[in-house]
Amino acid sequence: MERLTSPPRLMIVSDLDHTMVDHHDPENLSLLRFNSLWEHAYRHDSLLVFSTGRSPTLYKELRKEKPLLTPDITIMSVGTEITYGNSMVPDHGWVDTLNHKWDLGVVKEETGKFSELTLQAETEQRPHKVSFYVDKSKAQDVTKELSLRLEKRGLDVKIIYSGGMDLDILPQGAGKGQALAYLLKKLKSEGRLPLNTLACGDSGNDAELFSIPDVYGVMVSNAQEELLKWHAENAKDNPKVIHAKERCAGGIIQAVGEFKLGPNLSPRDVSDFLECRVENVNPGHEVVKFFLFYERWRRGEVENSEAYIASLKASCVSHPGGVFVHPSGAEKSLVDTIDELRKYHGDKQGKKFRVWVDQVLATETNHGTWNVKFDKWEQSGDEHRGCTTTVKFTAKEGEGLVWERVEQTWSEESELKKDDSSWII
């Protein structure tokens, strides 16, 4: 967040499972559409927040399974944990807030008296969250009786039922909504209150997100019955909360457009690579566009045409001295690297192969010169492989941005062997 010197243009706060991530979409197309839109148009001046019921352990597992971007802020365990940045630095002020009228030992003691409750995995039990499974038919009665018992013990708790089976017990001051309210208050005190905030969800534990004043909200088309019921009873006349027509991340993109919060055309929705232009100089767009073309080239989804190769050479190579440094440390010219792409046309056709970029951040070093750093990822089959990439761009009169130098190093999270020669760029 340190990169932001002024209030964020937009802050998107999204649930993960069945909202940002569509578990019924094996190709992850709606998520990849969102990724390219965010990195192309928003990463440089906006904030991405993931707000999930998952514990840190299950959240990290999901990151290994799906092409998720790296958020600026992560809210986990149904709003009981807030962390910042890549290293997920915890917010200790939030921890202090949640300790009020909360006793984990008492909660465990009282819940142990209910045979209807089945304890979830140990990874899901957190300092300020105790999680169970409960049959839908028994959830209401259990919730009512448990609330009374904990209140008699001097605790002030919140019990959230979601997903048709999950029952979470939290401090009264916790939850996704309170975590968002706390975050907005903190950003305001720092002079960085977002100009607009969009909350996105699909289940009962997301309802609180839509109750925060001055926040736009979208329930994705596949939202669960419990959230739609809450909306009908509490927010049906609120024009700032909509029920999208599209599933998951597609619904988020739809809401960005309907609320006029900024650009909502994903580069993945532009079919012709040669027509994918922007009016202003945008190094992030150039990065997204190039690697989207690279994916389509290898999947055989664009024509094996000299026009495409010529366009790449015109926009990616300023002169024969342009250099590509392979993650192995080997250097070759950018001209040769582009020429080498010819033989890979369609080699991934009909296969599970996707490419995306993450954390695209551009720094103008001199007038007309940018260094752009990002993570570039490939999924081939079920294997993810990636590298940290730095590109030097120079603006040339009449040519737009040209690529002077590309340097890559293996990502620590990459599952690829460090000497794998199949990595092209």
Side-chain angles (χ1 to χ4, degrees):
M1 297 199 329
E2 289 73 17
R3 72 183 186 283
L4 298 177
T5 56
S6 58
R9 174 165 53 122
L10 175 64
M11 182 167 77
I12 286 185
V13 183
S14 179
D15 174 51
L16 290 177
D17 295 289
H18 309 293
T19 301
M20 184 63 74
V21 176
D22 189 345
H23 292 286
H24 298 287
D25 177 8
E27 289 284 342
N28 301 303
L29 291 179
S30 63
L31 177 56
L32 290 167
R33 285 178 62 220
F34 175 85
N35 289 358
S36 61
L37 173 62
W38 187 261
E39 295 299 335
H40 144 66
Y42 292 98
R43 174 68 80 173
H44 65 289
D45 66 356
S46 299
L47 289 175
L48 180 61
V49 182
F50 289 158
S51 183
T52 177
R54 287 179 177 243
S55 66
T57 298
L58 289 188
Y59 168 65
K60 291 172 183 176
E61 285 183 10
L62 186 65
R63 291 193 62 82
K64 292 178 181 178
E65 297 167 4
K66 298 291 183 178
L68 283 169
L69 297 181
T70 302
D72 300 285
I73 304 168
T74 313
I75 302 172
M76 294 167 289
S77 305
V78 199
T80 61
E81 300 180 59
I82 301 176
T83 66
Y84 301 91
N86 286 6
S87 52
M88 299 177 70
V89 177
D91 188 318
H92 297 294
W94 183 236
V95 172
D96 293 340
T97 299
L98 297 186
N99 283 333
H100 179 67
K101 288 192 175 182
W102 173 256
D103 188 315
L104 185 60
V106 171
V107 173
K108 289 182 176 180
E109 179 186 335
E110 291 296 334
T111 53
K113 300 173 183 177
F114 287 80
S115 60
E116 301 92 336
L117 295 176
T118 301
L119 201 64
Q120 291 186 19
E122 186 61 34
T123 58
E124 299 313 287
Q125 313 309 321
R126 305 296 296 166
H128 296 95
K129 179 177 81 77
V130 186
S131 297
F132 299 89
Y133 297 119
V134 62
D135 187 89
K136 186 176 181 179
S137 63
K138 300 176 181 178
Q140 189 170 352
D141 290 341
V142 169
T143 299
K144 185 177 180 180
E145 178 62 25
L146 184 56
S147 295
L148 290 172
R149 292 194 185 191
L150 291 173
E151 186 178 349
K152 286 180 180 178
R153 296 292 301 272
L155 272 58
D156 192 8
V157 305
K158 173 186 297 181
I159 301 177
I160 299 177
Y161 176 67
S162 63
M165 61 188 292
D166 299 316
L167 188 141
D168 299 307
I169 305 168
L170 326 168
Q172 184 60 244
K176 290 186 175 184
Q178 278 89 336
L180 174 56
Y182 170 88
L183 192 57
L184 288 170
K185 183 178 180 181
K186 182 173 183 175
L187 289 170
K188 184 177 182 179
S189 71
E190 297 170 351
R192 293 190 288 184
L193 182 68
L195 302 182
N196 288 297
T197 298
L198 173 65
C200 320
D202 78 296
S203 71
N205 67 18
D206 300 314
E208 292 181 352
L209 292 172
F210 307 129
S211 302
I212 306 302
D214 302 319
V215 168
Y216 292 97
V218 56
M219 303 178 297
V220 291
S221 70
N222 52 292
Q224 296 185 27
E225 177 187 344
E226 71 230 14
L227 182 59
L228 297 178
K229 183 174 183 290
W230 174 89
H231 178 259
E233 295 173 352
N234 299 278
K236 65 179 180 179
D237 297 323
N238 183 354
K240 284 192 169 187
V241 179
I242 63 169
H243 187 193
K245 294 182 175 65
E246 293 194 48
R247 289 178 58 84
C248 300
I252 299 174
I253 295 173
Q254 178 191 336
V256 170
E258 287 204 18
F259 291 129
K260 296 180 172 54
L261 302 178
N264 70 320
L265 178 63
S266 170
R268 281 189 175 269
D269 295 331
V270 178
S271 57
D272 191 340
F273 168 73
L274 295 176
E275 293 180 359
C276 194
R277 309 277 187 211
V278 291
E279 293 181 5
N280 301 316
V281 172
N282 184 344
H285 173 75
E286 293 300 319
V287 165
V288 171
K289 182 177 74 170
F290 174 81
F291 286 106
L292 177 56
F293 171 78
Y294 172 76
E295 176 196 288
R296 291 175 175 174
W297 181 264
R298 296 195 64 184
R299 286 174 60 91
E301 294 174 349
V302 294
E303 182 184 353
N304 188 354
S305 162
E306 280 300 315
Y308 283 120
I309 295 296
S311 175
L312 282 180
K313 286 186 174 181
S315 62
C316 297
V317 184
S318 59
H319 55 80
V323 173
F324 167 52
V325 182
H326 189 274
S328 65
E331 290 191 14
K332 64 169 75 172
S333 76
L334 279 170
V335 172
D336 291 343
T337 303
I338 298 303
D339 280 333
E340 190 180 348
L341 278 179
R342 284 187 171 91
K343 66 182 181 182
Y344 291 101
H345 182 267
D347 71 321
K348 298 293 185 180
Q349 191 168 19
K351 299 177 182 178
K352 191 175 181 180
F353 178 77
R354 295 292 176 186
V355 179
W356 67 97
V357 292
D358 182 22
Q359 295 185 287
V360 178
L361 296 175
T363 304
E364 189 169 13
T365 53
N366 294 301
H367 181 66
T369 303
W370 285 265
N371 279 339
V372 185
K373 188 174 182 180
F374 56 94
D375 294 323
K376 180 253 177 169
W377 288 93
E378 289 184 9
Q379 180 181 18
S380 188
D382 293 326
E383 181 186 64
H384 288 180
R385 52 189 191 170
C387 63
T388 298
T389 304
T390 304
V391 178
K392 180 184 178 183
F393 283 107
T394 301
K396 300 287 186 180
E397 187 70 31
E399 299 179 41
L401 289 174
V402 293
W403 301 48
E404 296 276 359
R405 181 181 178 87
V406 181
E407 189 167 347
Q408 296 184 323
T409 56
W410 295 119
S411 165
E412 290 182 8
E413 296 86 1
S414 180
E415 298 167 11
L416 184 68
K417 292 181 180 179
K418 305 303 186 196
D419 60 351
D420 194 318
S421 60
S422 66
W423 188 267
I424 302 169
I425 189 169

